[in-house]
């Protein structure tokens, strides 16, 4: 706020929201939360591209909930999960298939890419470029969490 930005959304550090987060976020009049209830255990399976049609945007109390899956985070795939897809080219192929399926069902997909993970080397950066290029080529609408939340709850912005 000191920088002149009014925060509208929240994603908990490490992804997992605490016990009192929802109440505090509602008191602060946040629009959305993009956290999860379950901690990363390390054993989450890779999302099967043909079985995953995205997640629905929902509500948690008075907040829009923008879901995501551990397997759609670059750090999980490259280093945190013992079942992750370590090869950038294979990961790009897999994520592109997931995007195809989500696009075909008009679902919502949240992918989280970190500069210090996907930008670590040329192979990872090229994989990220491939995924984003593929999504744009097939007509995926890339939106910010704020845009998704606004569509889910029009008129709630301060």
């Amino acid at each position: 706020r000191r920088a002149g930005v009014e925060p509208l959304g929240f994603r908990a550090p490490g992804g997992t929201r605490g016990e009192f987060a929802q109440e505090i976020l509602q008191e602060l009049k946040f629009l959305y939360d993009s956290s999860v209830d379950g901690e990363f255990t390390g054993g989450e399976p890779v999302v099967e591209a043909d079985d995953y049609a995205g997640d629905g945007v929902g509500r948690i109390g008075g907040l829009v909930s923008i879901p995501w899956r551990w397997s759609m985070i670059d750090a999980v795939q490259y280093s945190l999960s013992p079942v992750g897809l370590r090869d950038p080219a294979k990961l790009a192929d897999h994520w592109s298939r997931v995007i195809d399926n989500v696009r075909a069902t008009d679902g919502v997909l949240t992918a989280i890419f970190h500069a210090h993970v996907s930008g670590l080397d040329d192979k990872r950066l090229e994989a990220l470029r491939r995924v984003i290029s593929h999504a744009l080529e097939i007509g995926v609408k890339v939106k910010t969490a704020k845009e998704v939340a606004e569509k889910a709850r029009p008129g709630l912005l301060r």
Side-chain angles (χ1 to χ4, degrees), residues 47 49 52 72 94-103 109:
V47 166
Y52 179 52
M72 293 305 298
H94 174 74
W95 276 341
S96 293
R97 287 191 312 275
V98 170
I99 289 169
D100 287 342
N101 195 45
V102 172
R103 173 70 174 101
L109 170 69

Side-chain angles (χ1 to χ4, degrees), residues 32-105:
Y32 68 88
D33 178 30
S34 186
S35 305
V36 292
D37 290 324
E39 290 184 23
F40 178 70
T41 64
E44 283 81 357
V46 173
V47 166
E48 292 299 324
D50 296 335
D51 296 334
Y52 179 52
D55 293 300
V57 175
R59 288 182 68 169
I60 298 176
L63 299 168
V64 173
S65 172
I66 301 175
W68 50 270
R69 295 188 181 225
W70 290 107
S71 62
M72 293 305 298
I73 300 175
D74 58 357
V76 169
Q77 294 294 351
Y78 284 128
S79 58
L80 298 176
S81 176
V83 295
L85 293 171
R86 302 290 194 266
D87 178 81
K90 288 181 182 177
L91 184 56
D93 289 343
H94 174 74
W95 276 341
S96 293
R97 287 191 312 275
V98 170
I99 289 169
D100 287 342
N101 195 45
V102 172
R103 173 70 174 101
T105 61

